[in-house]
Amino acid sequence: QAFGIDPATLIGRTLTRVRRSRAHPSLTLHFADGGAVQVRVVGYDPHFRGVPKTLESDSHVLNPASGATDVRLTVKHAAMITLADKAFQVQGTVQGAGKPPRESRWTQKHAAFAIKFIEEGGWHCIWATLAEYDEKNRETCVFRNFADVYVDSLQSTP
């Protein structure tokens, strides 16, 4: 593991608050012991953002509808896992006259964070996507790929 902390260090801790950043692709997990960790995207730089990056999750815990939520969940397991998803890029005209667009697809492996709680069944997972949309039709995705995430501890301020 090149970045951050070993997620196994979270086992046994009680998660009390989950907060998603509105400005950056990050998720902060606050614990009852006063500590906090953040799920971040490898290579993200707020000054040179590049292709827009977003954290995605299949979990109601890691993807709170309001952006933040209070919980009381004990970490049973936590790990970095490898996912394999289909990425794609559309080149050429999306709509209109001319040559039809050419689409490339490939399988992209990427690191994700998975966590399991004593109080809930099943795993909760979070990963990062990169996406660009057509300039004329903002609903048409022309590029989608995946990035690695990592977990890092937050230093408390005095």
Side-chain angles (χ1 to χ4, degrees):
Q1 179 172 321
F3 295 96
I5 64 167
D6 179 355
T9 62
L10 304 178
I11 295 171
R13 295 174 73 183
T14 301
L15 180 65
T16 57
R17 183 158 180 78
V18 178
R19 185 180 53 81
R20 207 176 253 277
S21 171
R22 295 189 198 291
H24 306 286
S26 64
L27 179 79
T28 305
L29 307 174
H30 298 271
F31 295 93
D33 61 11
V37 299
Q38 203 167 58
V39 178
R40 300 176 179 163
V41 180
V42 172
Y44 173 77
D45 182 335
H47 301 292
F48 304 99
R49 295 183 184 203
V51 176
K53 297 160 185 68
T54 305
L55 289 178
E56 291 186 0
S57 179
D58 57 1
S59 165
H60 65 281
V61 174
L62 300 180
N63 193 18
S66 66
T69 190
D70 293 324
V71 296
R72 190 140 194 93
L73 299 168
T74 307
V75 179
K76 183 176 182 178
H77 296 291
M80 297 306 300
I81 62 171
T82 300
L83 299 178
D85 287 295
K86 286 294 182 191
F88 70 90
Q89 180 172 7
V90 177
Q91 295 175 315
T93 306
V94 174
Q95 290 181 341
K99 294 180 181 177
R102 193 174 84 235
E103 188 173 306
S104 302
R105 289 186 178 267
W106 64 95
T107 299
Q108 181 69 47
K109 290 184 177 180
H110 56 101
F113 172 62
I115 191 166
K116 192 172 191 178
F117 304 105
I118 291 172
E119 298 82 359
E120 290 196 8
W123 286 91
H124 301 262
C125 187
I126 189 164
W127 59 91
T129 61
L130 297 79
E132 288 184 327
Y133 293 85
D134 183 69
E135 292 176 14
K136 294 177 185 169
N137 181 358
R138 302 299 294 159
E139 293 182 13
T140 302
C141 184
V142 295
F143 175 79
R144 179 173 167 94
N145 202 349
F146 300 86
D148 293 339
V149 299
Y150 66 101
V151 179
D152 209 357
S153 57
L154 286 180
Q155 304 302 322
S156 58
T157 54

